[in-house]
Amino acid sequence: MRIQARTTDLPKLRADLAVCFAWEGDLEPSGVADAATRRTLGVRMKAERFRGRPGDTLSWTPDGALPCVRLLVIGLGKRRTPESVRDGVARAARSADTRHARSLALRL
């Protein structure tokens, strides 16, 4: 799997799996600068009753609307600690492995 660090906004990155995160109670994912993508994900989070708890995931296939093949929102829970983020990144890596993704983009 290829790993690169970039400052590009997540919806603009070409990857098999793009991952962003949401804290418990968030109405939209954190770290997505593109307002349209953030709103779309917020609507999907509400529709699928995504709460942002640890273990919550929301998977979206943008069908050509974004350069990524699949976008995943991972819940981090209430505690805003480095450990919560580390656990979320580990879940992202496991999700990429499970999906046989050759590239993974993370928005931290």
Side-chain angles (χ1 to χ4, degrees), residues 22-101:
W23 297 101
E24 191 167 335
D26 283 354
L27 301 178
E28 297 176 335
S30 301
V32 178
D34 180 65
T37 302
R38 199 174 53 248
R39 279 192 303 272
T40 298
L41 290 170
V43 167
R44 296 181 84 56
M45 287 166 64
K46 183 177 180 181
E48 295 187 26
R49 296 185 177 160
F50 177 92
R51 302 288 185 243
R53 296 176 298 228
D56 284 358
T57 59
L58 170 84
S59 180
W60 176 47
T61 305
D63 293 326
L66 301 174
C68 63
V69 176
R70 180 175 306 277
L71 199 142
L72 189 67
V73 182
I74 294 178
L76 297 177
K78 289 181 184 178
R79 295 182 16 228
R80 295 177 185 254
T81 64
E83 291 79 19
S84 298
V85 175
R86 182 198 62 214
D87 293 345
V89 170
R91 282 189 301 179
R94 283 191 299 273
S95 293
D97 185 50
T98 300
R99 290 176 168 83
H100 305 289

